[in-house]
Structure formats: C-alpha cells, structure tokens
Amino acid sequence: MTCPVRLRPVIPGDLPIFFEQQRDPAANRMAAFGAADPEDRAAFMARWDRLLKTSGVTARTIEVAGDVAGHILNHTTAGSPSVSYWVGKPWWGQRVATQALVAFLQQIATRPVEARVAKDNIASLKVLQHAGFVIRGQSAAFAPGRGEEVEEYVMVLEPEPMAQAG
C-alpha cells in the first residue's frame, strides 16, 4: 500500500509526536544511531531547539493523510551535507520514507549529499537506493540505539551529470 505524503515545515506541536516515535525500542534498534537516551525528553527538545535555530538546517515534517508520520532533515555531519529521516512504525512498509526522501531531495539543491545507514537496516538501505544514493564507503561507530559499535554504509547522492551538447 502506498500512502501519499506531504512535507511541511516542522512546528512545535510536531515535537511531542517525534519524541514518542523515537521512544519505540524496535525503531531505535533499527535506526541504531538515534538518541543516547530515547526517554530523555529534555535532551530531545534541546536537540530540536538547536536544529530549528541552526542556519543551513532544513527540517520538514512528513505527513500522511494529515497525520504526523515522521521527519526529514538536511544538515551537516562531520563537515558533509547529510540527510536523515525517521518514520513512525505505523507507516513502515508503505513507501512513506521513500516518497518523503524523493520529495525532500527535490526541495534541496545540495549535492553531493550523504546519508549513513546501519548495514543491517535493509529497509532504510532500500529507501536510500530508491532515491538514487549509492554506497561510497563503510565505517563503524558506537550506536546508542544498540549500545554497541555498529557497521554502517556511507551513502552518497551525487549531482546529476550535465547533459552533453550534441
């Protein structure tokens, strides 16, 4: 089943929903690189306050049929333009993340743009590949969502090649 998505700016009323979505243990395990303590509301709100005030960060709420399904961000990680997203469990398997990412990439001009995904997060790997990202490297880092080091793919969406004059 495919649900149409809409992206809009994040509003304060979205944050409690995002917080509840991040508290899901299965989602945290899958994402791996989420919050150190998904139950820490103050840290969550402080992080979002910083994100929403940071120049160069583009944050959007993902809506499905008027419901907040998750969020998507364009930010800088370790000096590289990056995207990240979170979709609540009720919308898993409905192509919501893929639709949101493709739509979001049409709104931002940054290329190349990077994303990172735990190697065993097959669903997110497929989302990124459907949006045109390719594996450009690998690394390992401590993943708070799992409490251990996790191997990850470094994915990159390159600029579109310029059409050659014929």
Side-chain angles (χ1 to χ4, degrees), residues 28-29 31-36 118 140-152:
N28 267 289
R29 176 136 186 89
F33 298 99
F142 181 78
R146 299 186 187 178
E148 63 188 16
E149 189 169 277
V150 171
E151 292 185 1
E152 65 181 349

Side-chain angles (χ1 to χ4, degrees), residues 112-132:
V113 64
E114 185 177 283
R116 294 174 177 259
V117 59
K119 283 185 173 183
D120 61 358
N121 186 345
I122 303 303
S124 195
L125 179 61
K126 286 181 180 180
V127 166
L128 291 163
Q129 289 173 326
H130 285 303

Side-chain angles (χ1 to χ4, degrees), residues 84-98:
S84 59
Y85 50 87
W86 190 287
V87 173
K89 207 173 189 179
W91 293 276
W92 289 4
Q94 298 181 47
R95 299 188 48 83
V96 169
T98 300

Side-chain angles (χ1 to χ4, degrees), residues 134-148:
V134 294
I135 297 170
R136 285 289 185 247
Q138 301 178 46
S139 68
F142 181 78
R146 299 186 187 178
E148 63 188 16

Side-chain angles (χ1 to χ4, degrees), residues 51-63:
L51 284 169
L52 295 174
K53 291 178 179 174
T54 301
S55 174
V57 171
T58 303
R60 296 290 180 261
T61 295
I62 303 167
E63 278 190 351

Side-chain angles (χ1 to χ4, degrees), residues 5-87:
V5 302
R6 180 174 89 92
L7 301 179
R8 62 164 173 77
V10 175
I11 60 172
D14 298 334
L15 300 180
I17 298 167
F18 296 169
F19 178 72
E20 288 305 315
Q21 290 172 342
Q22 90 152 13
R23 293 180 64 225
D24 183 276
N28 267 289
R29 176 136 186 89
M30 182 182 286
F33 298 99
D37 179 2
E39 298 293 329
D40 187 341
R41 182 181 288 271
F44 175 87
M45 295 304 238
R47 176 179 177 268
W48 272 96
D49 185 57
R50 280 190 311 275
L51 284 169
L52 295 174
K53 291 178 179 174
T54 301
S55 174
V57 171
T58 303
R60 296 290 180 261
T61 295
I62 303 167
E63 278 190 351
V64 175
D67 292 327
V68 174
H71 63 271
I72 191 163
L73 300 165
N74 179 38
H75 50 95
T76 301
T77 302
S80 297
S82 301
V83 295
S84 59
Y85 50 87
W86 190 287
V87 173

